[in-house]
Amino acid sequence: MTEPDPVLRLLWRHRVPAVADAGARRGPRPKVTLDDVVDAAIELADRDGLAALSMRGLAQHLHLGAMTLYTYVANRGDLVVLMVDQVLGRTTLPGHPADLRERLEQVARLQYEECRAHPWLLEVTGVRAWLGPHVADRYEWQLAAVEGIGLDDVEMDQAVTLLVSFGTGVARAEQAVRAAERESGMTDAEWWEANHEALAEVMAGHDYPLAGRVGTAAGEAYQAASDQRRELDFGLGRIVDGLLAHLASRQPGRG
Amino acid sequence: MTEPDPVLRLLWRHRVPAVADAGARRGPRPKVTLDDVVDAAIELADRDGLAALSMRGLAQHLHLGAMTLYTYVANRGDLVVLMVDQVLGRTTLPGHPADLRERLEQVARLQYEECRAHPWLLEVTGVRAWLGPHVADRYEWQLAAVEGIGLDDVEMDQAVTLLVSFGTGVARAEQAVRAAERESGMTDAEWWEANHEALAEVMAGHDYPLAGRVGTAAGEAYQAASDQRRELDFGLGRIVDGLLAHLASRQPGRG
DNA sequence: TAACTTCTTCGTACGTCGTACGGAATAAAT
DNA sequence: ATTTATTCCGTACGACGTACGAAGAAGTTA
């Protein structure tokens, strides 16, 4: 058996009294708080993405030497863990509507909006679930949306996962477009303008009847960036239909 | 207007005759082919993940100097683009079953299996869609599964996106667990063994009735790694139910 | 007051990464 | 034989995360 992960104490620092009131401590007064560090990291990640968040850059933003950050956080991975929990804590969780459809949709839409507001959440990988207080709060809130509607425990988890992963997926597709634009420095339209000629030449003799027709239609429909939500609406409609039908098949007369 | 992206010619190299038959060329005979380079990169990414794939490591694997790779590929990003298209080309696309439900499910399951076989696909970001021949083939194949079932063009794209992003999402959740295990060097069970005590201490006084109950149930159910597919089955069942219901509401009597 | 302890701050340095640059080697074209 | 196009690759630069240890600040103790 190994030692427990020290990041746990940091994650729960605001809810564990013994950690919160540090009392009189030796050494120089810290220039900033851990909250400041994590907030600044979130700010930079919001602006430039998680990959562009460097320890040096963060330190400079806080007017600190690079290595000073390591008094607050053991390593970059732990910083990301703290960022995730802290940013989840910012959104106040709305109450669950009485209408079941609205309740289920809200779970997915909240996830979608949060990933839109903080796209770097989509870049986070390798993080053990169930770590921080706000992550736990969030899971509890999500489960409350599907509590008492006729699902067993495993199905509750599956339903939440389905809704959450769909909201995340739509946000990810949207973010992929923006990431490609940022990386190449040109919008989709500009890329097409610059490449459609070469693409036509290179694809000469290869037909994609469906992809050509549908891709064009979808491309035009999604021209207005705000219309990305149509995909969210469509998929969410189908998913919730499916979930409600599943419940109805269990205990007819409800829902 | 800027120049067309040179990676297009590389992507379509096997389908454009003028590119394929290089003819007599000057200079030393290349030690390897571009296909060799990309195949080796796929092999390394399969083993260690995309983040661990370095140009130096790949070059060493091919018994080349590090900078030699740049005669085959302009930069690492282009290499990843080529990897994606090339790995998609490896899976032979099955025919579409007559049964509509099976047809829809197959789209999602193929995506899931492919992401399981090549988890680094989940790490790929910022890639412009619609680039390579195999990506185009794939999109065409996916659309064929939903062609002629009563959806308009935009809905066809939405339905495919829904199925594909669900398959990807389940694979991603699965991969997240494996990534956390690899990164921390301990399995979920080992992590729990080492941390449940500290976690209980730090969470003292905070109740998560639903999360505790459901998380435990889900954790036990998913103990056997193969049971991750239960989530795929559940979600896919609901999604396809919803899609079929949507079609039925359009033109009753079909399905 | 002086010594000790503990804590924060941070400069230096190492090994990694992608890749810009330029030169050497090679083979076809002239 | 010379020119030209191409492959190969050693060196080097600026980023990255972070190990290490010194310098200094503030509380504790003698």
Short mmCIF file of all heavy atoms in Angstrom, two decimals, chain D residues 2-15:
data_model
loop_
_atom_site.label_atom_id
_atom_site.label_comp_id
_atom_site.label_asym_id
_atom_site.label_seq_id
_atom_site.Cartn_x
_atom_site.Cartn_y
_atom_site.Cartn_z
P DT D 2 34.71 19.75 -64.28
OP1 DT D 2 35.66 20.84 -64.59
OP2 DT D 2 34.94 18.87 -63.12
"O5'" DT D 2 33.25 20.37 -64.19
"C5'" DT D 2 32.70 21.01 -65.36
"C4'" DT D 2 31.21 21.13 -65.22
"O4'" DT D 2 30.60 19.82 -65.30
"C3'" DT D 2 30.72 21.75 -63.90
"O3'" DT D 2 30.08 22.98 -64.20
"C2'" DT D 2 29.78 20.69 -63.31
"C1'" DT D 2 29.43 19.83 -64.51
N1 DT D 2 29.09 18.43 -64.23
C2 DT D 2 27.84 17.95 -64.59
O2 DT D 2 27.00 18.62 -65.13
N3 DT D 2 27.63 16.62 -64.28
C4 DT D 2 28.52 15.75 -63.67
O4 DT D 2 28.22 14.58 -63.45
C5 DT D 2 29.78 16.31 -63.32
C7 DT D 2 30.82 15.46 -62.65
C6 DT D 2 30.01 17.61 -63.60
P DT D 3 29.49 23.92 -63.04
OP1 DT D 3 29.60 25.33 -63.48
OP2 DT D 3 30.09 23.48 -61.77
"O5'" DT D 3 27.95 23.50 -63.07
"C5'" DT D 3 27.28 23.44 -64.34
"C4'" DT D 3 25.88 22.89 -64.14
"O4'" DT D 3 25.93 21.45 -63.92
"C3'" DT D 3 25.10 23.48 -62.96
"O3'" DT D 3 23.81 23.86 -63.43
"C2'" DT D 3 25.06 22.34 -61.95
"C1'" DT D 3 25.04 21.13 -62.86
N1 DT D 3 25.53 19.86 -62.27
C2 DT D 3 24.77 18.74 -62.37
O2 DT D 3 23.70 18.71 -62.93
N3 DT D 3 25.33 17.61 -61.81
C4 DT D 3 26.55 17.51 -61.16
O4 DT D 3 26.92 16.45 -60.70
C5 DT D 3 27.30 18.73 -61.08
C7 DT D 3 28.62 18.74 -60.41
C6 DT D 3 26.76 19.84 -61.63
P DT D 4 22.84 24.76 -62.53
OP1 DT D 4 22.12 25.67 -63.45
OP2 DT D 4 23.62 25.26 -61.39
"O5'" DT D 4 21.80 23.67 -62.00
"C5'" DT D 4 21.20 22.77 -62.93
"C4'" DT D 4 20.39 21.72 -62.18
"O4'" DT D 4 21.27 20.65 -61.72
"C3'" DT D 4 19.67 22.24 -60.93
"O3'" DT D 4 18.34 21.75 -60.96
"C2'" DT D 4 20.47 21.65 -59.78
"C1'" DT D 4 20.92 20.33 -60.39
N1 DT D 4 22.13 19.71 -59.76
C2 DT D 4 22.15 18.36 -59.57
O2 DT D 4 21.25 17.62 -59.89
N3 DT D 4 23.31 17.89 -58.99
C4 DT D 4 24.41 18.63 -58.59
O4 DT D 4 25.39 18.11 -58.09
C5 DT D 4 24.31 20.05 -58.83
C7 DT D 4 25.45 20.95 -58.43
C6 DT D 4 23.18 20.52 -59.39
P DA D 5 17.21 22.40 -60.06
OP1 DA D 5 16.19 23.01 -60.93
OP2 DA D 5 17.86 23.19 -58.99
"O5'" DA D 5 16.59 21.09 -59.41
"C5'" DA D 5 16.41 19.93 -60.23
"C4'" DA D 5 16.34 18.69 -59.36
"O4'" DA D 5 17.66 18.31 -58.90
"C3'" DA D 5 15.49 18.86 -58.10
"O3'" DA D 5 14.68 17.70 -57.96
"C2'" DA D 5 16.49 18.97 -56.97
"C1'" DA D 5 17.64 18.11 -57.50
N9 DA D 5 18.96 18.50 -57.00
C8 DA D 5 19.45 19.77 -56.89
N7 DA D 5 20.67 19.83 -56.43
C5 DA D 5 21.01 18.50 -56.22
C6 DA D 5 22.17 17.88 -55.73
N6 DA D 5 23.27 18.56 -55.36
N1 DA D 5 22.18 16.53 -55.65
C2 DA D 5 21.08 15.86 -56.03
N3 DA D 5 19.93 16.34 -56.49
C4 DA D 5 19.96 17.67 -56.57
P DT D 6 13.47 17.75 -56.96
OP1 DT D 6 12.33 17.08 -57.65
OP2 DT D 6 13.32 19.11 -56.39
"O5'" DT D 6 13.98 16.80 -55.78
"C5'" DT D 6 14.45 15.49 -56.09
"C4'" DT D 6 15.28 14.94 -54.95
"O4'" DT D 6 16.56 15.59 -54.92
"C3'" DT D 6 14.72 15.18 -53.55
"O3'" DT D 6 14.04 13.99 -53.13
"C2'" DT D 6 15.96 15.43 -52.68
"C1'" DT D 6 17.12 15.32 -53.65
N1 DT D 6 18.19 16.33 -53.39
C2 DT D 6 19.43 15.89 -53.01
O2 DT D 6 19.70 14.72 -52.87
N3 DT D 6 20.35 16.88 -52.79
C4 DT D 6 20.14 18.25 -52.91
O4 DT D 6 21.05 19.04 -52.69
C5 DT D 6 18.82 18.64 -53.32
C7 DT D 6 18.49 20.09 -53.46
C6 DT D 6 17.91 17.67 -53.54
P DT D 7 13.55 13.81 -51.62
OP1 DT D 7 12.39 12.91 -51.65
OP2 DT D 7 13.45 15.16 -51.03
"O5'" DT D 7 14.77 13.07 -50.89
"C5'" DT D 7 15.33 11.89 -51.46
"C4'" DT D 7 16.52 11.45 -50.63
"O4'" DT D 7 17.57 12.46 -50.71
"C3'" DT D 7 16.22 11.27 -49.15
"O3'" DT D 7 16.79 10.04 -48.70
"C2'" DT D 7 16.88 12.47 -48.47
"C1'" DT D 7 18.04 12.76 -49.41
N1 DT D 7 18.48 14.18 -49.41
C2 DT D 7 19.79 14.49 -49.16
O2 DT D 7 20.64 13.64 -48.92
N3 DT D 7 20.09 15.83 -49.19
C4 DT D 7 19.22 16.87 -49.46
O4 DT D 7 19.60 18.04 -49.47
C5 DT D 7 17.86 16.48 -49.72
C7 DT D 7 16.83 17.54 -50.01
C6 DT D 7 17.55 15.18 -49.69
P DC D 8 16.46 9.47 -47.23
OP1 DC D 8 16.57 8.01 -47.28
OP2 DC D 8 15.23 10.12 -46.77
"O5'" DC D 8 17.67 10.02 -46.34
"C5'" DC D 8 18.98 9.49 -46.53
"C4'" DC D 8 19.99 10.32 -45.76
"O4'" DC D 8 19.92 11.68 -46.21
"C3'" DC D 8 19.75 10.37 -44.25
"O3'" DC D 8 20.81 9.72 -43.59
"C2'" DC D 8 19.66 11.86 -43.91
"C1'" DC D 8 20.29 12.52 -45.14
N1 DC D 8 19.77 13.88 -45.43
C2 DC D 8 20.66 14.97 -45.41
O2 DC D 8 21.84 14.78 -45.15
N3 DC D 8 20.18 16.22 -45.67
C4 DC D 8 18.88 16.39 -45.95
N4 DC D 8 18.47 17.63 -46.20
C5 DC D 8 17.97 15.30 -45.98
C6 DC D 8 18.45 14.07 -45.71
P DC D 9 20.66 9.30 -42.05
OP1 DC D 9 21.63 8.23 -41.79
OP2 DC D 9 19.24 9.11 -41.75
"O5'" DC D 9 21.17 10.62 -41.31
"C5'" DC D 9 22.47 11.12 -41.58
"C4'" DC D 9 22.65 12.47 -40.94
"O4'" DC D 9 21.95 13.48 -41.70
"C3'" DC D 9 22.08 12.57 -39.50
"O3'" DC D 9 23.06 13.13 -38.67
"C2'" DC D 9 20.93 13.55 -39.66
"C1'" DC D 9 21.48 14.42 -40.78
N1 DC D 9 20.45 15.30 -41.41
C2 DC D 9 20.79 16.63 -41.70
O2 DC D 9 21.92 17.04 -41.44
N3 DC D 9 19.86 17.44 -42.25
C4 DC D 9 18.64 16.96 -42.51
N4 DC D 9 17.76 17.80 -43.06
C5 DC D 9 18.28 15.61 -42.24
C6 DC D 9 19.21 14.81 -41.69
P DG D 10 23.58 12.42 -37.39
OP1 DG D 10 24.19 11.13 -37.75
OP2 DG D 10 22.50 12.45 -36.40
"O5'" DG D 10 24.73 13.43 -36.95
"C5'" DG D 10 25.60 13.98 -37.95
"C4'" DG D 10 26.11 15.35 -37.53
"O4'" DG D 10 25.27 16.38 -38.12
"C3'" DG D 10 26.10 15.62 -36.04
"O3'" DG D 10 27.21 16.47 -35.70
"C2'" DG D 10 24.77 16.32 -35.81
"C1'" DG D 10 24.59 17.10 -37.11
N9 DG D 10 23.19 17.23 -37.55
C8 DG D 10 22.24 16.21 -37.56
N7 DG D 10 21.09 16.59 -38.03
C5 DG D 10 21.27 17.93 -38.35
C6 DG D 10 20.36 18.86 -38.90
O6 DG D 10 19.19 18.70 -39.23
N1 DG D 10 20.95 20.12 -39.07
C2 DG D 10 22.26 20.42 -38.75
N2 DG D 10 22.63 21.67 -38.98
N3 DG D 10 23.11 19.55 -38.24
C4 DG D 10 22.56 18.33 -38.06
P DT D 11 27.41 16.95 -34.20
OP1 DT D 11 28.87 17.07 -34.04
OP2 DT D 11 26.61 16.11 -33.29
"O5'" DT D 11 26.77 18.43 -34.18
"C5'" DT D 11 27.15 19.35 -35.20
"C4'" DT D 11 26.40 20.65 -35.03
"O4'" DT D 11 25.05 20.53 -35.54
"C3'" DT D 11 26.27 21.14 -33.58
"O3'" DT D 11 26.72 22.48 -33.50
"C2'" DT D 11 24.77 21.00 -33.29
"C1'" DT D 11 24.16 21.20 -34.67
N1 DT D 11 22.82 20.61 -34.86
C2 DT D 11 21.82 21.38 -35.40
O2 DT D 11 21.97 22.53 -35.73
N3 DT D 11 20.62 20.74 -35.53
C4 DT D 11 20.31 19.43 -35.19
O4 DT D 11 19.19 18.96 -35.36
C5 DT D 11 21.41 18.68 -34.63
C7 DT D 11 21.20 17.25 -34.22
C6 DT D 11 22.60 19.29 -34.49
P DA D 12 26.73 23.26 -32.08
OP1 DA D 12 27.84 24.23 -32.14
OP2 DA D 12 26.64 22.27 -30.99
"O5'" DA D 12 25.37 24.08 -32.15
"C5'" DA D 12 25.02 24.73 -33.37
"C4'" DA D 12 23.69 25.44 -33.17
"O4'" DA D 12 22.61 24.52 -33.45
"C3'" DA D 12 23.47 25.97 -31.75
"O3'" DA D 12 22.91 27.25 -31.80
"C2'" DA D 12 22.52 24.95 -31.15
"C1'" DA D 12 21.70 24.53 -32.36
N9 DA D 12 21.09 23.21 -32.25
C8 DA D 12 21.64 22.08 -31.70
N7 DA D 12 20.87 21.03 -31.73
C5 DA D 12 19.72 21.49 -32.34
C6 DA D 12 18.50 20.87 -32.68
N6 DA D 12 18.24 19.59 -32.42
N1 DA D 12 17.55 21.61 -33.29
C2 DA D 12 17.82 22.90 -33.55
N3 DA D 12 18.93 23.60 -33.28
C4 DA D 12 19.84 22.82 -32.68
P DC D 13 22.86 28.20 -30.52
OP1 DC D 13 23.67 29.38 -30.78
OP2 DC D 13 23.11 27.35 -29.33
"O5'" DC D 13 21.34 28.65 -30.49
"C5'" DC D 13 20.68 28.96 -31.73
"C4'" DC D 13 19.20 29.06 -31.47
"O4'" DC D 13 18.60 27.76 -31.62
"C3'" DC D 13 18.86 29.54 -30.06
"O3'" DC D 13 17.86 30.53 -30.11
"C2'" DC D 13 18.42 28.29 -29.34
"C1'" DC D 13 17.82 27.47 -30.48
N1 DC D 13 17.86 26.01 -30.24
C2 DC D 13 16.74 25.22 -30.57
O2 DC D 13 15.76 25.76 -31.07
N3 DC D 13 16.80 23.88 -30.34
C4 DC D 13 17.89 23.34 -29.80
N4 DC D 13 17.90 22.03 -29.60
C5 DC D 13 19.03 24.13 -29.46
C6 DC D 13 18.97 25.44 -29.68
P DG D 14 17.75 31.54 -28.86
OP1 DG D 14 17.95 32.90 -29.41
OP2 DG D 14 18.56 31.04 -27.72
"O5'" DG D 14 16.21 31.39 -28.46
"C5'" DG D 14 15.22 31.22 -29.48
"C4'" DG D 14 14.10 30.36 -28.95
"O4'" DG D 14 14.51 28.97 -28.93
"C3'" DG D 14 13.67 30.70 -27.51
"O3'" DG D 14 12.26 30.80 -27.47
"C2'" DG D 14 14.19 29.52 -26.70
"C1'" DG D 14 14.06 28.40 -27.72
N9 DG D 14 14.86 27.22 -27.42
C8 DG D 14 16.16 27.18 -26.98
N7 DG D 14 16.59 25.96 -26.80
C5 DG D 14 15.52 25.16 -27.14
C6 DG D 14 15.40 23.75 -27.15
O6 DG D 14 16.23 22.89 -26.84
N1 DG D 14 14.13 23.34 -27.57
C2 DG D 14 13.13 24.19 -27.93
N2 DG D 14 11.98 23.64 -28.30
N3 DG D 14 13.23 25.52 -27.94
C4 DG D 14 14.45 25.92 -27.54
P DA D 15 11.52 31.38 -26.18
OP1 DA D 15 10.36 32.13 -26.67
OP2 DA D 15 12.54 32.00 -25.31
"O5'" DA D 15 10.99 30.08 -25.42
"C5'" DA D 15 9.59 29.89 -25.35
"C4'" DA D 15 9.26 28.42 -25.50
"O4'" DA D 15 10.41 27.72 -25.96
"C3'" DA D 15 8.91 27.76 -24.17
"O3'" DA D 15 7.53 27.92 -23.90
"C2'" DA D 15 9.23 26.30 -24.45
"C1'" DA D 15 10.33 26.37 -25.52
N9 DA D 15 11.64 25.95 -25.05
C8 DA D 15 12.73 26.75 -24.78
N7 DA D 15 13.79 26.09 -24.39
C5 DA D 15 13.38 24.76 -24.42
C6 DA D 15 14.04 23.56 -24.13
N6 DA D 15 15.32 23.50 -23.72
N1 DA D 15 13.34 22.42 -24.26
C2 DA D 15 12.06 22.47 -24.65
N3 DA D 15 11.34 23.55 -24.96
C4 DA D 15 12.06 24.68 -24.83
#
